Amino acid sequence: MVTEVQTNPKRVTAEKVVTTTCSYCGVGCNLQLHVKDDFIFKVTSPFDSPVNKGNLCVKGRFGYDYIYHPKRVTTPLVRRYLLEGKPKPEGREQVFAISMDGKPILDSKISNDWDWVATDWDTALDVVADNLVRIYQRDGSDAMAVYCCAKATNEDNYLLQKMWRSLFRTNNVDHCTRLCHAGSVVALQKAVGSSAMSNTASQVIQNDVFIVTGSNTGENHPIIALQMKEAVQKYGAKMIVVDPRRIDLVDFAEMWLPLKPGTNVPVFSAMAHVIVKENLVNWEFVKNRTEGFDEFLESLEKFTPEYAEEISGVPAEDIRKAARMYATAKNGAIYWGMGISQLSHGTASALSLIHLAFLTGHIGRDGTGLNPLRGQNNVQGASDMGAMPFHYPGYMRVDNPDNRAKWEKAWNIEEGGLSLKLGLTTTEILGHAHEGGIRALYIMGENPMMSEPNLNETRKHMQELEFLVSQDLFINESGAFADVFLPAASFAEKDGTFTNTDRRVQRVRTALAPRGLARPDWKILCDLATRLERRLKRSTSSKWDYESPEEILREMASVNSDYAGVTYERIEKVGLIYPVPDMNHPGTPTLFKETFPSGRGKFHPLDYVPVMEGADDEYPFVLTTGRLLEHWHGGTMTRNSALNEAYPEARVEIHPADAEMHGITNNMPVRVTSRRGEIVLRATVTEKTTVGVAFIPWHFAEAAANLLTNDALDPEAKIPEFKACAVQVFPAREEELANPEVEVRRGRY
Ligand code: SF4
């Protein structure tokens, strides 16, 4: 029944207003959810929020109605073959599932045994537990893997990694940080021994000069972009944008350096070259706080501005000017996004930025710093919680026996019970989905069939899995491959905490009862873990009967000293910025004031390594991918919300000069082809992109940009090269827009 709350929200008075944290990006804006009749009819924000001061972007303000979308699944679903004890039928790749009214449907061409059957929680969780234990007891720890979720709470992620490590004794645990900032994380760990932002985003108003690179901040972190613009317009800061696209921040910038995709190392190393040659180095900082300068200096010799110009297209004089501006600032800072990290040399790319901060001493003070802007609302928190293959919570290496002993004690596990073997990364897990490799995969809230590179390969890997569980709000492109679907509560239907890009731990609060039979992730995991524990019959058992998310957080904080002083009571109003080492500690907005976690900051000599697949005569464009203001990642939430009306279809941006050369006009359907796949979508002819560069957002399953992208990995960080691959762009016919050859689709509704 449609109520007045839905038709005329302006006339409605809220029964309650619940303050919580936005579930989209890493800014972590505070939201006020106005609720009447168990329905959110308005979202506002408190003006005293230290994060967003009452401001919200379009996603936070309007992007919440996916909670009520008819396609949301609110009942546990199990494939018929599992309920009837039959062998697995052929044809998983043809299965899709849910109709617009939320009822399961069946494609008549495939076996009824693939039909989804709505069931109760006990039945669904028993099926999951039986099959996970069956596979584990047959094939061992190496057959088990899990994707945690950067959209879920800290508590949800802590529990899921604990479950996999303590029950299946494997570190095959990862999440989407692998696909966004893994290059930054590895580089920062190598250079300073810590991988989070060193300063808070709101300190941008204390910068005199700041560099924004590889980040379309205005669309990806809109509230931080607002603060950047304020820093320029109100506080007189100078902004240098280094990006292949003419993003909106360029209008506010002192300089724009439009480099070719994947040429960060030569540009930033050339800036370092200038800083050294012109003696703009902060020698005291280099001498007292860093090591490895001499070897680094040797590697820097060839990175002249002219050499960088030849590779990147950025004029040498502009590189000199930018270097002087940053080096001579009182307070200089660097903010970066995935244009730095999503490359097959993403680690080197981030190191080239870190070197600039070391040379100038723009680190360890307020208004300076190294600031990788984290994408998802809780990607920082999920990483802190140990949702990674090499680390327990608190970034404790899993291959260190002392760390193992600490977690064995916390989880009541026999001595030597946890695995010392490094786990597989997100990008490796699916590649190992074959006989003798990964057989069971549990996905909480992630969507690899949209977010992995080279999706035609990913699709083959998904089909190879023996048992797949999807725990989510919708049956998305990955859930379509699942054997069991577990309906989870949305962010507005549960309690917990998120940690934003500033390292600020903030509350998530229940505003609504979960729809239908949906349950908060942490409750699903506790119920499942209890069943698994019973079936595994180990001599010791871990705690799974938590009363509340707060109890879960306290268990994690008892071992992870960064969170030791974080309690729900202390973060009730404005959160706390970790490290918070004790109950009286006020939090730490600025890191590295005295020293780095690794002691001294370490320079690393660099070389220039080109992207794996540059443009050539056959594939003359470099494709770069990214996000839009109106949409979020694989689209599971925003494409099922009112925001989809604001931006309903995929588009490829190309420069007017390229459009003319290839006979393409604005709005024309075009076919974009790489060596791995093709999509058909409309063209936007715009000077926002540069000559030779095509840009496609990756939110649209019907024209999935990741069908085209290259799965080449950074050897250290294992992050794929999403930011550069070679493509062709040709005019297509209108009727080809729904290209039947495109293999990844949103579903047959
Ligand atoms: Fe949400 Fe990010 Fe927008 Fe803030 S800037 S409202 S956190 S999406």
Side-chain angles (χ1 to χ4, degrees), residues 22-31 52 55-61 220-224 632:
C22 181
S23 64
Y24 283 109
C25 88
V27 179
C29 293
N30 297 169
L31 307 182
N52 53 310
N55 297 304
L56 292 174
C57 81
V58 68
K59 287 189 285 289
R61 183 85 68 191
N220 297 339
H221 298 87
I223 300 303
I224 293 179
W632 191 252

mmCIF file with all atom_site columns, all heavy atoms in Angstrom, residues 22-31 52 55-61 220-224 632, ligand 1:
data_model
loop_
_atom_site.group_PDB
_atom_site.id
_atom_site.type_symbol
_atom_site.label_atom_id
_atom_site.label_alt_id
_atom_site.label_comp_id
_atom_site.label_asym_id
_atom_site.label_entity_id
_atom_site.label_seq_id
_atom_site.pdbx_PDB_ins_code
_atom_site.Cartn_x
_atom_site.Cartn_y
_atom_site.Cartn_z
_atom_site.occupancy
_atom_site.B_iso_or_equiv
_atom_site.pdbx_formal_charge
_atom_site.auth_seq_id
_atom_site.auth_comp_id
_atom_site.auth_asym_id
_atom_site.auth_atom_id
_atom_site.pdbx_PDB_model_num
ATOM   1   N  N   . CYS A 1 22  ? 26.892 7.271  6.369  1.00 0.00 ? 22  CYS A N   1
ATOM   2   C  CA  . CYS A 1 22  ? 26.559 6.966  4.970  1.00 0.00 ? 22  CYS A CA  1
ATOM   3   C  C   . CYS A 1 22  ? 27.201 5.643  4.545  1.00 0.00 ? 22  CYS A C   1
ATOM   4   O  O   . CYS A 1 22  ? 28.327 5.329  4.924  1.00 0.00 ? 22  CYS A O   1
ATOM   5   C  CB  . CYS A 1 22  ? 27.039 8.096  4.059  1.00 0.00 ? 22  CYS A CB  1
ATOM   6   S  SG  . CYS A 1 22  ? 26.643 7.826  2.322  1.00 0.00 ? 22  CYS A SG  1
ATOM   7   N  N   . SER A 1 23  ? 26.462 4.907  3.710  1.00 0.00 ? 23  SER A N   1
ATOM   8   C  CA  . SER A 1 23  ? 26.938 3.575  3.301  1.00 0.00 ? 23  SER A CA  1
ATOM   9   C  C   . SER A 1 23  ? 27.602 3.594  1.932  1.00 0.00 ? 23  SER A C   1
ATOM   10  O  O   . SER A 1 23  ? 27.855 2.545  1.364  1.00 0.00 ? 23  SER A O   1
ATOM   11  C  CB  . SER A 1 23  ? 25.762 2.610  3.266  1.00 0.00 ? 23  SER A CB  1
ATOM   12  O  OG  . SER A 1 23  ? 24.836 3.028  2.270  1.00 0.00 ? 23  SER A OG  1
ATOM   13  N  N   . TYR A 1 24  ? 27.881 4.764  1.386  1.00 0.00 ? 24  TYR A N   1
ATOM   14  C  CA  . TYR A 1 24  ? 28.515 4.782  0.061  1.00 0.00 ? 24  TYR A CA  1
ATOM   15  C  C   . TYR A 1 24  ? 30.027 4.980  0.148  1.00 0.00 ? 24  TYR A C   1
ATOM   16  O  O   . TYR A 1 24  ? 30.765 4.026  0.236  1.00 0.00 ? 24  TYR A O   1
ATOM   17  C  CB  . TYR A 1 24  ? 27.853 5.835  -0.833 1.00 0.00 ? 24  TYR A CB  1
ATOM   18  C  CG  . TYR A 1 24  ? 26.520 5.367  -1.375 1.00 0.00 ? 24  TYR A CG  1
ATOM   19  C  CD1 . TYR A 1 24  ? 25.328 5.914  -0.923 1.00 0.00 ? 24  TYR A CD1 1
ATOM   20  C  CD2 . TYR A 1 24  ? 26.448 4.365  -2.328 1.00 0.00 ? 24  TYR A CD2 1
ATOM   21  C  CE1 . TYR A 1 24  ? 24.109 5.472  -1.418 1.00 0.00 ? 24  TYR A CE1 1
ATOM   22  C  CE2 . TYR A 1 24  ? 25.241 3.912  -2.827 1.00 0.00 ? 24  TYR A CE2 1
ATOM   23  C  CZ  . TYR A 1 24  ? 24.073 4.468  -2.370 1.00 0.00 ? 24  TYR A CZ  1
ATOM   24  O  OH  . TYR A 1 24  ? 22.864 4.022  -2.861 1.00 0.00 ? 24  TYR A OH  1
ATOM   25  N  N   . CYS A 1 25  ? 30.510 6.214  0.196  1.00 0.00 ? 25  CYS A N   1
ATOM   26  C  CA  . CYS A 1 25  ? 31.957 6.377  0.013  1.00 0.00 ? 25  CYS A CA  1
ATOM   27  C  C   . CYS A 1 25  ? 32.693 6.553  1.328  1.00 0.00 ? 25  CYS A C   1
ATOM   28  O  O   . CYS A 1 25  ? 32.108 6.696  2.399  1.00 0.00 ? 25  CYS A O   1
ATOM   29  C  CB  . CYS A 1 25  ? 32.258 7.510  -0.962 1.00 0.00 ? 25  CYS A CB  1
ATOM   30  S  SG  . CYS A 1 25  ? 32.385 9.137  -0.210 1.00 0.00 ? 25  CYS A SG  1
ATOM   31  N  N   . GLY A 1 26  ? 34.015 6.563  1.225  1.00 0.00 ? 26  GLY A N   1
ATOM   32  C  CA  . GLY A 1 26  ? 34.882 6.591  2.398  1.00 0.00 ? 26  GLY A CA  1
ATOM   33  C  C   . GLY A 1 26  ? 34.903 7.902  3.160  1.00 0.00 ? 26  GLY A C   1
ATOM   34  O  O   . GLY A 1 26  ? 35.552 7.992  4.204  1.00 0.00 ? 26  GLY A O   1
ATOM   35  N  N   . VAL A 1 27  ? 34.213 8.936  2.650  1.00 0.00 ? 27  VAL A N   1
ATOM   36  C  CA  . VAL A 1 27  ? 34.175 10.188 3.405  1.00 0.00 ? 27  VAL A CA  1
ATOM   37  C  C   . VAL A 1 27  ? 33.528 9.938  4.774  1.00 0.00 ? 27  VAL A C   1
ATOM   38  O  O   . VAL A 1 27  ? 33.960 10.474 5.791  1.00 0.00 ? 27  VAL A O   1
ATOM   39  C  CB  . VAL A 1 27  ? 33.402 11.287 2.640  1.00 0.00 ? 27  VAL A CB  1
ATOM   40  C  CG1 . VAL A 1 27  ? 33.364 12.576 3.455  1.00 0.00 ? 27  VAL A CG1 1
ATOM   41  C  CG2 . VAL A 1 27  ? 34.041 11.550 1.291  1.00 0.00 ? 27  VAL A CG2 1
ATOM   42  N  N   . GLY A 1 28  ? 32.479 9.091  4.779  1.00 0.00 ? 28  GLY A N   1
ATOM   43  C  CA  . GLY A 1 28  ? 31.827 8.759  6.061  1.00 0.00 ? 28  GLY A CA  1
ATOM   44  C  C   . GLY A 1 28  ? 30.952 9.870  6.588  1.00 0.00 ? 28  GLY A C   1
ATOM   45  O  O   . GLY A 1 28  ? 30.967 10.186 7.787  1.00 0.00 ? 28  GLY A O   1
ATOM   46  N  N   . CYS A 1 29  ? 30.154 10.473 5.704  1.00 0.00 ? 29  CYS A N   1
ATOM   47  C  CA  . CYS A 1 29  ? 29.281 11.566 6.153  1.00 0.00 ? 29  CYS A CA  1
ATOM   48  C  C   . CYS A 1 29  ? 28.258 11.059 7.164  1.00 0.00 ? 29  CYS A C   1
ATOM   49  O  O   . CYS A 1 29  ? 27.769 9.939  7.073  1.00 0.00 ? 29  CYS A O   1
ATOM   50  C  CB  . CYS A 1 29  ? 28.528 12.148 4.952  1.00 0.00 ? 29  CYS A CB  1
ATOM   51  S  SG  . CYS A 1 29  ? 29.608 12.995 3.793  1.00 0.00 ? 29  CYS A SG  1
ATOM   52  N  N   . ASN A 1 30  ? 27.920 11.934 8.106  1.00 0.00 ? 30  ASN A N   1
ATOM   53  C  CA  . ASN A 1 30  ? 26.881 11.615 9.087  1.00 0.00 ? 30  ASN A CA  1
ATOM   54  C  C   . ASN A 1 30  ? 25.521 11.894 8.468  1.00 0.00 ? 30  ASN A C   1
ATOM   55  O  O   . ASN A 1 30  ? 25.298 12.954 7.877  1.00 0.00 ? 30  ASN A O   1
ATOM   56  C  CB  . ASN A 1 30  ? 27.055 12.450 10.349 1.00 0.00 ? 30  ASN A CB  1
ATOM   57  C  CG  . ASN A 1 30  ? 28.370 12.138 11.060 1.00 0.00 ? 30  ASN A CG  1
ATOM   58  O  OD1 . ASN A 1 30  ? 28.773 12.829 11.957 1.00 0.00 ? 30  ASN A OD1 1
ATOM   59  N  ND2 . ASN A 1 30  ? 29.054 11.077 10.642 1.00 0.00 ? 30  ASN A ND2 1
ATOM   60  N  N   . LEU A 1 31  ? 24.620 10.946 8.600  1.00 0.00 ? 31  LEU A N   1
ATOM   61  C  CA  . LEU A 1 31  ? 23.269 11.078 8.059  1.00 0.00 ? 31  LEU A CA  1
ATOM   62  C  C   . LEU A 1 31  ? 22.266 11.097 9.197  1.00 0.00 ? 31  LEU A C   1
ATOM   63  O  O   . LEU A 1 31  ? 22.486 10.465 10.231 1.00 0.00 ? 31  LEU A O   1
ATOM   64  C  CB  . LEU A 1 31  ? 22.903 9.873  7.178  1.00 0.00 ? 31  LEU A CB  1
ATOM   65  C  CG  . LEU A 1 31  ? 23.802 9.441  6.040  1.00 0.00 ? 31  LEU A CG  1
ATOM   66  C  CD1 . LEU A 1 31  ? 23.168 8.248  5.320  1.00 0.00 ? 31  LEU A CD1 1
ATOM   67  C  CD2 . LEU A 1 31  ? 24.014 10.569 5.054  1.00 0.00 ? 31  LEU A CD2 1
ATOM   68  N  N   . ASN A 1 52  ? 31.266 16.209 7.723  1.00 0.00 ? 52  ASN A N   1
ATOM   69  C  CA  . ASN A 1 52  ? 30.623 16.816 6.559  1.00 0.00 ? 52  ASN A CA  1
ATOM   70  C  C   . ASN A 1 52  ? 29.837 18.086 6.859  1.00 0.00 ? 52  ASN A C   1
ATOM   71  O  O   . ASN A 1 52  ? 29.260 18.674 5.941  1.00 0.00 ? 52  ASN A O   1
ATOM   72  C  CB  . ASN A 1 52  ? 29.719 15.804 5.855  1.00 0.00 ? 52  ASN A CB  1
ATOM   73  C  CG  . ASN A 1 52  ? 28.725 15.139 6.779  1.00 0.00 ? 52  ASN A CG  1
ATOM   74  O  OD1 . ASN A 1 52  ? 29.076 14.633 7.839  1.00 0.00 ? 52  ASN A OD1 1
ATOM   75  N  ND2 . ASN A 1 52  ? 27.476 15.119 6.382  1.00 0.00 ? 52  ASN A ND2 1
ATOM   76  N  N   . ASN A 1 55  ? 26.692 18.871 5.082  1.00 0.00 ? 55  ASN A N   1
ATOM   77  C  CA  . ASN A 1 55  ? 26.642 18.682 3.629  1.00 0.00 ? 55  ASN A CA  1
ATOM   78  C  C   . ASN A 1 55  ? 26.504 17.199 3.289  1.00 0.00 ? 55  ASN A C   1
ATOM   79  O  O   . ASN A 1 55  ? 27.069 16.341 3.977  1.00 0.00 ? 55  ASN A O   1
ATOM   80  C  CB  . ASN A 1 55  ? 27.934 19.201 2.988  1.00 0.00 ? 55  ASN A CB  1
ATOM   81  C  CG  . ASN A 1 55  ? 28.106 20.677 3.191  1.00 0.00 ? 55  ASN A CG  1
ATOM   82  O  OD1 . ASN A 1 55  ? 27.239 21.464 2.823  1.00 0.00 ? 55  ASN A OD1 1
ATOM   83  N  ND2 . ASN A 1 55  ? 29.219 21.074 3.796  1.00 0.00 ? 55  ASN A ND2 1
ATOM   84  N  N   . LEU A 1 56  ? 25.801 16.921 2.203  1.00 0.00 ? 56  LEU A N   1
ATOM   85  C  CA  . LEU A 1 56  ? 25.713 15.554 1.681  1.00 0.00 ? 56  LEU A CA  1
ATOM   86  C  C   . LEU A 1 56  ? 25.756 15.618 0.167  1.00 0.00 ? 56  LEU A C   1
ATOM   87  O  O   . LEU A 1 56  ? 25.280 16.590 -0.433 1.00 0.00 ? 56  LEU A O   1
ATOM   88  C  CB  . LEU A 1 56  ? 24.394 14.895 2.096  1.00 0.00 ? 56  LEU A CB  1
ATOM   89  C  CG  . LEU A 1 56  ? 24.201 14.574 3.577  1.00 0.00 ? 56  LEU A CG  1
ATOM   90  C  CD1 . LEU A 1 56  ? 22.783 14.056 3.802  1.00 0.00 ? 56  LEU A CD1 1
ATOM   91  C  CD2 . LEU A 1 56  ? 25.217 13.549 4.056  1.00 0.00 ? 56  LEU A CD2 1
ATOM   92  N  N   . CYS A 1 57  ? 26.266 14.577 -0.454 1.00 0.00 ? 57  CYS A N   1
ATOM   93  C  CA  . CYS A 1 57  ? 26.178 14.519 -1.916 1.00 0.00 ? 57  CYS A CA  1
ATOM   94  C  C   . CYS A 1 57  ? 24.889 13.803 -2.293 1.00 0.00 ? 57  CYS A C   1
ATOM   95  O  O   . CYS A 1 57  ? 24.131 13.326 -1.442 1.00 0.00 ? 57  CYS A O   1
ATOM   96  C  CB  . CYS A 1 57  ? 27.403 13.843 -2.516 1.00 0.00 ? 57  CYS A CB  1
ATOM   97  S  SG  . CYS A 1 57  ? 27.349 12.046 -2.483 1.00 0.00 ? 57  CYS A SG  1
ATOM   98  N  N   . VAL A 1 58  ? 24.669 13.681 -3.597 1.00 0.00 ? 58  VAL A N   1
ATOM   99  C  CA  . VAL A 1 58  ? 23.400 13.132 -4.090 1.00 0.00 ? 58  VAL A CA  1
ATOM   100 C  C   . VAL A 1 58  ? 23.190 11.685 -3.640 1.00 0.00 ? 58  VAL A C   1
ATOM   101 O  O   . VAL A 1 58  ? 22.054 11.253 -3.393 1.00 0.00 ? 58  VAL A O   1
ATOM   102 C  CB  . VAL A 1 58  ? 23.351 13.298 -5.636 1.00 0.00 ? 58  VAL A CB  1
ATOM   103 C  CG1 . VAL A 1 58  ? 24.387 12.392 -6.317 1.00 0.00 ? 58  VAL A CG1 1
ATOM   104 C  CG2 . VAL A 1 58  ? 21.991 13.049 -6.189 1.00 0.00 ? 58  VAL A CG2 1
ATOM   105 N  N   . LYS A 1 59  ? 24.279 10.947 -3.464 1.00 0.00 ? 59  LYS A N   1
ATOM   106 C  CA  . LYS A 1 59  ? 24.115 9.535  -3.056 1.00 0.00 ? 59  LYS A CA  1
ATOM   107 C  C   . LYS A 1 59  ? 23.628 9.457  -1.608 1.00 0.00 ? 59  LYS A C   1
ATOM   108 O  O   . LYS A 1 59  ? 22.705 8.719  -1.290 1.00 0.00 ? 59  LYS A O   1
ATOM   109 C  CB  . LYS A 1 59  ? 25.434 8.771  -3.221 1.00 0.00 ? 59  LYS A CB  1
ATOM   110 C  CG  . LYS A 1 59  ? 25.790 8.499  -4.666 1.00 0.00 ? 59  LYS A CG  1
ATOM   111 C  CD  . LYS A 1 59  ? 26.962 7.580  -4.807 1.00 0.00 ? 59  LYS A CD  1
ATOM   112 C  CE  . LYS A 1 59  ? 28.280 8.249  -4.506 1.00 0.00 ? 59  LYS A CE  1
ATOM   113 N  NZ  . LYS A 1 59  ? 28.711 9.221  -5.514 1.00 0.00 ? 59  LYS A NZ  1
ATOM   114 N  N   . GLY A 1 60  ? 24.279 10.225 -0.740 1.00 0.00 ? 60  GLY A N   1
ATOM   115 C  CA  . GLY A 1 60  ? 23.875 10.195 0.666  1.00 0.00 ? 60  GLY A CA  1
ATOM   116 C  C   . GLY A 1 60  ? 22.479 10.746 0.866  1.00 0.00 ? 60  GLY A C   1
ATOM   117 O  O   . GLY A 1 60  ? 21.697 10.245 1.671  1.00 0.00 ? 60  GLY A O   1
ATOM   118 N  N   . ARG A 1 61  ? 22.130 11.778 0.106  1.00 0.00 ? 61  ARG A N   1
ATOM   119 C  CA  . ARG A 1 61  ? 20.842 12.460 0.295  1.00 0.00 ? 61  ARG A CA  1
ATOM   120 C  C   . ARG A 1 61  ? 19.686 11.655 -0.299 1.00 0.00 ? 61  ARG A C   1
ATOM   121 O  O   . ARG A 1 61  ? 18.620 11.562 0.285  1.00 0.00 ? 61  ARG A O   1
ATOM   122 C  CB  . ARG A 1 61  ? 20.926 13.844 -0.376 1.00 0.00 ? 61  ARG A CB  1
ATOM   123 C  CG  . ARG A 1 61  ? 19.722 14.715 -0.220 1.00 0.00 ? 61  ARG A CG  1
ATOM   124 C  CD  . ARG A 1 61  ? 19.687 15.519 1.063  1.00 0.00 ? 61  ARG A CD  1
ATOM   125 N  NE  . ARG A 1 61  ? 20.710 16.549 1.121  1.00 0.00 ? 61  ARG A NE  1
ATOM   126 C  CZ  . ARG A 1 61  ? 20.991 17.233 2.235  1.00 0.00 ? 61  ARG A CZ  1
ATOM   127 N  NH1 . ARG A 1 61  ? 20.322 16.986 3.347  1.00 0.00 ? 61  ARG A NH1 1
ATOM   128 N  NH2 . ARG A 1 61  ? 21.947 18.140 2.240  1.00 0.00 ? 61  ARG A NH2 1
ATOM   129 N  N   . ASN A 1 220 ? 33.825 11.186 -6.814 1.00 0.00 ? 220 ASN A N   1
ATOM   130 C  CA  . ASN A 1 220 ? 34.052 9.993  -5.985 1.00 0.00 ? 220 ASN A CA  1
ATOM   131 C  C   . ASN A 1 220 ? 34.030 10.280 -4.482 1.00 0.00 ? 220 ASN A C   1
ATOM   132 O  O   . ASN A 1 220 ? 33.651 9.414  -3.691 1.00 0.00 ? 220 ASN A O   1
ATOM   133 C  CB  . ASN A 1 220 ? 35.392 9.339  -6.338 1.00 0.00 ? 220 ASN A CB  1
ATOM   134 C  CG  . ASN A 1 220 ? 35.404 8.837  -7.765 1.00 0.00 ? 220 ASN A CG  1
ATOM   135 O  OD1 . ASN A 1 220 ? 34.347 8.630  -8.350 1.00 0.00 ? 220 ASN A OD1 1
ATOM   136 N  ND2 . ASN A 1 220 ? 36.574 8.645  -8.322 1.00 0.00 ? 220 ASN A ND2 1
ATOM   137 N  N   . HIS A 1 221 ? 34.482 11.460 -4.087 1.00 0.00 ? 221 HIS A N   1
ATOM   138 C  CA  . HIS A 1 221 ? 34.467 11.874 -2.676 1.00 0.00 ? 221 HIS A CA  1
ATOM   139 C  C   . HIS A 1 221 ? 33.967 13.318 -2.630 1.00 0.00 ? 221 HIS A C   1
ATOM   140 O  O   . HIS A 1 221 ? 34.717 14.242 -2.286 1.00 0.00 ? 221 HIS A O   1
ATOM   141 C  CB  . HIS A 1 221 ? 35.883 11.791 -2.069 1.00 0.00 ? 221 HIS A CB  1
ATOM   142 C  CG  . HIS A 1 221 ? 36.467 10.418 -2.060 1.00 0.00 ? 221 HIS A CG  1
ATOM   143 N  ND1 . HIS A 1 221 ? 37.174 9.900  -3.117 1.00 0.00 ? 221 HIS A ND1 1
ATOM   144 C  CD2 . HIS A 1 221 ? 36.441 9.449  -1.106 1.00 0.00 ? 221 HIS A CD2 1
ATOM   145 C  CE1 . HIS A 1 221 ? 37.552 8.671  -2.823 1.00 0.00 ? 221 HIS A CE1 1
ATOM   146 N  NE2 . HIS A 1 221 ? 37.125 8.363  -1.617 1.00 0.00 ? 221 HIS A NE2 1
ATOM   147 N  N   . PRO A 1 222 ? 32.701 13.528 -3.006 1.00 0.00 ? 222 PRO A N   1
ATOM   148 C  CA  . PRO A 1 222 ? 32.234 14.908 -3.261 1.00 0.00 ? 222 PRO A CA  1
ATOM   149 C  C   . PRO A 1 222 ? 32.410 15.847 -2.071 1.00 0.00 ? 222 PRO A C   1
ATOM   150 O  O   . PRO A 1 222 ? 32.688 17.037 -2.273 1.00 0.00 ? 222 PRO A O   1
ATOM   151 C  CB  . PRO A 1 222 ? 30.752 14.710 -3.583 1.00 0.00 ? 222 PRO A CB  1
ATOM   152 C  CG  . PRO A 1 222 ? 30.620 13.282 -4.004 1.00 0.00 ? 222 PRO A CG  1
ATOM   153 C  CD  . PRO A 1 222 ? 31.655 12.527 -3.241 1.00 0.00 ? 222 PRO A CD  1
ATOM   154 N  N   . ILE A 1 223 ? 32.254 15.361 -0.866 1.00 0.00 ? 223 ILE A N   1
ATOM   155 C  CA  . ILE A 1 223 ? 32.344 16.274 0.280  1.00 0.00 ? 223 ILE A CA  1
ATOM   156 C  C   . ILE A 1 223 ? 33.803 16.663 0.548  1.00 0.00 ? 223 ILE A C   1
ATOM   157 O  O   . ILE A 1 223 ? 34.083 17.783 0.991  1.00 0.00 ? 223 ILE A O   1
ATOM   158 C  CB  . ILE A 1 223 ? 31.667 15.642 1.517  1.00 0.00 ? 223 ILE A CB  1
ATOM   159 C  CG1 . ILE A 1 223 ? 30.185 15.376 1.208  1.00 0.00 ? 223 ILE A CG1 1
ATOM   160 C  CG2 . ILE A 1 223 ? 31.821 16.513 2.761  1.00 0.00 ? 223 ILE A CG2 1
ATOM   161 C  CD1 . ILE A 1 223 ? 29.372 16.591 0.771  1.00 0.00 ? 223 ILE A CD1 1
ATOM   162 N  N   . ILE A 1 224 ? 34.723 15.781 0.249  1.00 0.00 ? 224 ILE A N   1
ATOM   163 C  CA  . ILE A 1 224 ? 36.143 16.169 0.361  1.00 0.00 ? 224 ILE A CA  1
ATOM   164 C  C   . ILE A 1 224 ? 36.467 17.192 -0.733 1.00 0.00 ? 224 ILE A C   1
ATOM   165 O  O   . ILE A 1 224 ? 37.199 18.167 -0.501 1.00 0.00 ? 224 ILE A O   1
ATOM   166 C  CB  . ILE A 1 224 ? 37.064 14.935 0.286  1.00 0.00 ? 224 ILE A CB  1
ATOM   167 C  CG1 . ILE A 1 224 ? 36.849 14.058 1.532  1.00 0.00 ? 224 ILE A CG1 1
ATOM   168 C  CG2 . ILE A 1 224 ? 38.537 15.353 0.166  1.00 0.00 ? 224 ILE A CG2 1
ATOM   169 C  CD1 . ILE A 1 224 ? 37.684 12.797 1.571  1.00 0.00 ? 224 ILE A CD1 1
ATOM   170 N  N   . TRP A 1 632 ? 27.361 3.881  -7.827 1.00 0.00 ? 632 TRP A N   1
ATOM   171 C  CA  . TRP A 1 632 ? 28.330 3.311  -6.910 1.00 0.00 ? 632 TRP A CA  1
ATOM   172 C  C   . TRP A 1 632 ? 28.755 1.937  -7.394 1.00 0.00 ? 632 TRP A C   1
ATOM   173 O  O   . TRP A 1 632 ? 27.927 1.054  -7.602 1.00 0.00 ? 632 TRP A O   1
ATOM   174 C  CB  . TRP A 1 632 ? 27.749 3.213  -5.484 1.00 0.00 ? 632 TRP A CB  1
ATOM   175 C  CG  . TRP A 1 632 ? 28.830 2.884  -4.547 1.00 0.00 ? 632 TRP A CG  1
ATOM   176 C  CD1 . TRP A 1 632 ? 29.048 1.690  -3.907 1.00 0.00 ? 632 TRP A CD1 1
ATOM   177 C  CD2 . TRP A 1 632 ? 29.918 3.726  -4.203 1.00 0.00 ? 632 TRP A CD2 1
ATOM   178 N  NE1 . TRP A 1 632 ? 30.217 1.743  -3.187 1.00 0.00 ? 632 TRP A NE1 1
ATOM   179 C  CE2 . TRP A 1 632 ? 30.763 3.000  -3.359 1.00 0.00 ? 632 TRP A CE2 1
ATOM   180 C  CE3 . TRP A 1 632 ? 30.276 5.041  -4.557 1.00 0.00 ? 632 TRP A CE3 1
ATOM   181 C  CZ2 . TRP A 1 632 ? 31.944 3.526  -2.847 1.00 0.00 ? 632 TRP A CZ2 1
ATOM   182 C  CZ3 . TRP A 1 632 ? 31.447 5.555  -4.047 1.00 0.00 ? 632 TRP A CZ3 1
ATOM   183 C  CH2 . TRP A 1 632 ? 32.255 4.810  -3.198 1.00 0.00 ? 632 TRP A CH2 1
HETATM 184 FE FE1 . SF4 B 2 .   ? 27.907 9.533  1.321  1.00 0.00 ? 1   SF4 B FE1 1
HETATM 185 FE FE2 . SF4 B 2 .   ? 30.344 9.963  0.350  1.00 0.00 ? 1   SF4 B FE2 1
HETATM 186 FE FE3 . SF4 B 2 .   ? 28.305 11.398 -0.526 1.00 0.00 ? 1   SF4 B FE3 1
HETATM 187 FE FE4 . SF4 B 2 .   ? 29.230 11.748 1.935  1.00 0.00 ? 1   SF4 B FE4 1
HETATM 188 S  S1  . SF4 B 2 .   ? 30.339 12.177 0.059  1.00 0.00 ? 1   SF4 B S1  1
HETATM 189 S  S2  . SF4 B 2 .   ? 27.085 11.618 1.327  1.00 0.00 ? 1   SF4 B S2  1
HETATM 190 S  S3  . SF4 B 2 .   ? 29.831 9.635  2.479  1.00 0.00 ? 1   SF4 B S3  1
HETATM 191 S  S4  . SF4 B 2 .   ? 28.579 9.197  -0.788 1.00 0.00 ? 1   SF4 B S4  1
#
